[in-house]
Amino acid sequence: MLISRETDYAIRIFRELSKTTKSSVTQICEIEDVPKPFAYKILKKLQKQGYVNIHRGKEGGCELIANLDDISLFDLLDALDSTEYVNACLKPNHECEKSDTCIVHKNLCVIQNSVNEKLKETPLSTL
């Protein structure tokens, strides 16, 4: 599946953070219907990529520090380590001795490239 539950939740988190300057994890989870364990895990990945800041403590919360116009759906999938391929033979480091001559592989490469380009063309601000 190309859009995993984690990716869907990340999109929802971004959507909520884009509406305000700072939001608590509890608020995000209640408004966007994201389970807290997922939210914490996703927010840490997004912070690592420099997309959000997480402030701890009584006055803490999360804030969006990246422009959603500059982050594509492809970037998000990559940040969450959830890049999917049309077929296993397209994955990096996949060993197939016939990939250079395989017509199926060549056609699937065209499809994969098309999917990747569409994901790269889709900024998160449009979702």
Side-chain angles (χ1 to χ4, degrees):
M1 183 180 316
L2 192 59
I3 304 295
S4 66
R5 181 168 292 178
E6 182 181 42
T7 303
D8 179 72
Y9 289 154
I11 292 168
R12 294 167 186 257
I13 289 169
F14 274 131
R15 181 172 58 196
E16 181 56 29
L17 290 175
S18 71
K19 296 177 189 175
T20 183
T21 55
K22 194 188 294 184
S23 186
S24 72
V25 174
T26 301
Q27 290 170 318
I28 294 168
C29 293
E30 288 174 0
I31 293 169
E32 293 294 341
D33 200 26
V34 176
K36 272 190 183 181
F38 271 104
Y40 285 114
K41 178 181 169 189
I42 293 166
L43 283 162
K44 285 183 181 187
K45 288 181 179 183
L46 298 179
Q47 182 181 34
K48 184 178 179 182
Q49 293 298 316
Y51 297 151
V52 301
N53 269 340
I54 302 170
H55 305 281
R56 300 186 187 271
K58 187 175 180 182
E59 299 297 319
C62 305
E63 65 179 327
L64 182 64
I65 58 172
N67 185 336
L68 295 184
D69 289 328
D70 298 332
I71 306 170
S72 70
L73 190 49
F74 185 88
D75 296 331
L76 178 59
L77 290 168
D78 190 47
L80 298 175
D81 296 323
S82 61
T83 305
E84 294 290 332
Y85 297 90
V86 174
N87 192 6
C89 71
L90 301 174
K91 292 181 179 182
N93 302 322
H94 179 78
E95 293 183 28
C96 176
E97 52 206 46
K98 296 184 180 188
S99 63
D100 292 337
T101 59
C102 178
I103 192 71
V104 173
H105 178 83
K106 288 180 182 180
N107 284 303
L108 291 177
C109 279
V110 171
I111 293 168
Q112 184 69 55
N113 289 337
S114 178
V115 168
N116 288 350
E117 284 307 310
K118 191 63 179 170
L119 293 171
K120 289 175 183 178
E121 293 171 1
T122 306
L124 293 181
S125 60
T126 63
L127 301 178

